[in-house]
Coordinates of all heavy atoms in Angstrom, one line a residue:
P1 N 4.5 -12.5 0.1 CA 3.9 -11.2 -0.3 C 2.4 -11.2 -0.4 O 1.8 -10.2 -0.1 CB 4.5 -11.0 -1.7 CG 5.8 -11.8 -1.7 CD 5.6 -13.0 -0.8
T2 N 1.8 -12.4 -0.7 CA 0.4 -12.5 -0.7 C -0.2 -12.2 0.7 O -1.1 -11.5 0.9 CB -0.1 -13.9 -1.2 OG1 0.4 -14.1 -2.5 CG2 -1.6 -14.0 -1.2
D3 N 0.4 -12.9 1.7 CA -0.1 -12.8 3.1 C 0.2 -11.4 3.6 O -0.7 -10.7 4.2 CB 0.6 -13.8 4.0 CG 0.3 -15.2 3.7 OD1 -0.8 -15.4 3.1 OD2 1.1 -16.1 4.0
F4 N 1.4 -10.8 3.2 CA 1.8 -9.5 3.7 C 0.8 -8.4 3.2 O 0.3 -7.6 3.9 CB 3.2 -9.2 3.3 CG 3.7 -7.9 3.6 CD1 4.2 -7.6 4.9 CD2 3.7 -6.8 2.7 CE1 4.7 -6.4 5.2 CE2 4.1 -5.6 3.0 CZ 4.6 -5.3 4.3
F5 N 0.6 -8.4 1.9 CA -0.1 -7.3 1.3 C -1.7 -7.5 1.6 O -2.4 -6.5 1.7 CB 0.1 -7.3 -0.2 CG 1.4 -6.7 -0.6 CD1 2.3 -7.5 -1.5 CD2 1.9 -5.5 -0.1 CE1 3.5 -7.0 -1.8 CE2 3.1 -5.0 -0.5 CZ 3.9 -5.8 -1.3
D6 N -2.1 -8.7 1.7 CA -3.5 -8.9 2.1 C -3.9 -8.2 3.4 O -5.0 -7.7 3.6 CB -3.9 -10.4 2.1 CG -4.1 -11.0 0.8 OD1 -4.2 -10.2 -0.2 OD2 -4.2 -12.2 0.7
T7 N -3.0 -8.3 4.3 CA -3.2 -7.7 5.7 C -2.7 -6.3 5.9 O -3.2 -5.6 6.8 CB -2.6 -8.6 6.7 OG1 -1.2 -8.7 6.5 CG2 -3.1 -10.0 6.7
F8 N -1.8 -5.9 5.0 CA -1.1 -4.6 5.3 C -1.5 -3.5 4.4 O -1.3 -2.3 4.8 CB 0.4 -4.8 5.3 CG 1.2 -3.7 5.9 CD1 0.8 -3.1 7.0 CD2 2.4 -3.3 5.3 CE1 1.6 -2.1 7.6 CE2 3.1 -2.3 5.8 CZ 2.7 -1.7 7.0
V9 N -2.0 -3.7 3.2 CA -2.4 -2.7 2.3 C -3.3 -1.6 2.9 O -3.2 -0.4 2.7 CB -2.9 -3.3 1.0 CG1 -3.7 -2.2 0.1 CG2 -1.8 -3.8 0.1
P10 N -4.4 -2.1 3.6 CA -5.2 -1.0 4.2 C -4.5 -0.1 5.1 O -4.8 1.1 5.1 CB -6.3 -1.9 5.0 CG -6.3 -3.1 4.3 CD -4.9 -3.4 3.8
D11 N -3.5 -0.6 5.9 CA -2.7 0.3 6.8 C -1.8 1.2 6.0 O -1.6 2.3 6.3 CB -1.9 -0.6 7.7 CG -2.7 -1.1 8.9 OD1 -3.7 -0.5 9.2 OD2 -2.2 -2.0 9.5
L12 N -1.3 0.7 4.9 CA -0.4 1.5 4.0 C -1.3 2.7 3.4 O -0.8 3.8 3.4 CB 0.1 0.6 2.8 CG 1.2 -0.4 3.2 CD1 1.5 -1.3 2.0 CD2 2.4 0.2 3.8
I13 N -2.4 2.4 3.0 CA -3.3 3.4 2.4 C -3.7 4.4 3.5 O -3.6 5.7 3.3 CB -4.6 2.8 1.8 CG1 -4.2 2.0 0.6 CG2 -5.6 3.9 1.4 CD1 -5.4 1.2 0.1
K14 N -3.9 3.9 4.7 CA -4.3 4.8 5.8 C -3.1 5.8 6.1 O -3.3 7.0 6.5 CB -4.6 4.0 7.1 CG -4.8 4.8 8.4 CD -5.1 3.8 9.5 CE -5.3 4.6 10.8 NZ -5.5 3.7 12.0
H15 N -1.9 5.3 6.0 CA -0.7 6.1 6.3 C -0.1 6.8 5.0 O 1.0 7.4 5.0 CB 0.4 5.3 7.0 CG 0.0 5.0 8.4 ND1 -0.7 3.9 8.7 CD2 0.3 5.7 9.6 CE1 -0.8 3.8 10.0 NE2 -0.3 4.9 10.6
N16 N -0.9 6.7 3.9 CA -0.5 7.4 2.6 C 0.8 6.9 2.1 O 1.6 7.6 1.5 CB -0.4 8.9 2.8 CG -0.5 9.7 1.5 OD1 -1.1 9.2 0.6 ND2 0.1 10.8 1.5
V17 N 1.1 5.6 2.3 CA 2.3 4.9 1.8 C 2.1 4.2 0.5 O 1.2 3.4 0.4 CB 2.9 3.9 2.8 CG1 4.1 3.2 2.3 CG2 3.2 4.7 4.1
R18 N 2.9 4.5 -0.5 CA 2.8 3.8 -1.8 C 3.8 2.7 -1.9 O 5.0 2.8 -1.5 CB 3.1 4.9 -2.9 CG 3.0 4.3 -4.3 CD 3.0 5.4 -5.4 NE 4.3 6.1 -5.4 CZ 5.3 5.7 -6.1 NH1 5.3 4.6 -6.8 NH2 6.4 6.5 -6.1
V19 N 3.4 1.6 -2.5 CA 4.2 0.4 -2.7 C 4.9 0.5 -4.1 O 4.3 0.8 -5.1 CB 3.4 -0.9 -2.6 CG1 4.3 -2.1 -3.0 CG2 2.9 -1.1 -1.2
N20 N 6.2 0.2 -4.1 CA 7.0 0.0 -5.3 C 7.8 -1.2 -5.2 O 8.2 -1.6 -4.1 CB 7.9 1.2 -5.6 CG 8.6 1.2 -6.9 OD1 7.9 1.3 -8.0 ND2 9.9 0.9 -7.0
V21 N 8.0 -1.9 -6.3 CA 8.8 -3.2 -6.3 C 9.8 -3.1 -7.4 O 9.4 -2.9 -8.5 CB 7.9 -4.4 -6.4 CG1 8.8 -5.7 -6.3 CG2 6.9 -4.5 -5.2
M22 N 11.0 -3.4 -7.1 CA 12.0 -3.4 -8.1 C 12.7 -4.8 -8.1 O 12.8 -5.4 -7.0 CB 13.1 -2.3 -8.0 CG 14.0 -2.4 -6.7 SD 15.1 -1.1 -6.6 CE 16.2 -1.7 -5.3
G23 N 13.1 -5.3 -9.2 CA 13.8 -6.6 -9.4 C 13.2 -7.3 -10.6 O 12.5 -6.7 -11.4
Y24 N 13.6 -8.5 -10.8 CA 13.2 -9.3 -12.0 C 11.9 -10.0 -11.6 O 11.8 -11.2 -11.4 CB 14.3 -10.3 -12.4 CG 15.6 -9.5 -12.7 CD1 16.5 -9.2 -11.8 CD2 15.7 -9.0 -14.0 CE1 17.7 -8.5 -12.1 CE2 16.9 -8.3 -14.4 CZ 17.8 -8.0 -13.4 OH 18.9 -7.3 -13.8
I25 N 10.8 -9.2 -11.6 CA 9.5 -9.6 -11.2 C 8.9 -10.7 -12.1 O 8.2 -11.6 -11.6 CB 8.5 -8.4 -11.1 CG1 9.2 -7.2 -10.3 CG2 7.2 -8.8 -10.4 CD1 9.6 -7.7 -8.9
D26 N 9.3 -10.6 -13.4 CA 8.7 -11.5 -14.4 C 9.2 -12.9 -14.1 O 8.6 -13.9 -14.7 CB 9.0 -11.1 -15.8 CG 10.5 -10.9 -16.0 OD1 11.2 -10.8 -15.1 OD2 10.9 -11.0 -17.2
Q27 N 10.2 -13.1 -13.3 CA 10.7 -14.5 -13.0 C 10.1 -15.1 -11.8 O 10.4 -16.2 -11.4 CB 12.3 -14.4 -12.8 CG 13.0 -13.9 -14.0 CD 14.5 -13.7 -13.8 OE1 15.0 -14.1 -12.7 NE2 15.2 -13.1 -14.7

């Protein structure tokens, strides 16, 4: 996820895409 979001978040913003994550994130 670190590698993915570091490189992809600018493209997501460019295409107006919002990130959501579900699951037991605290683990």
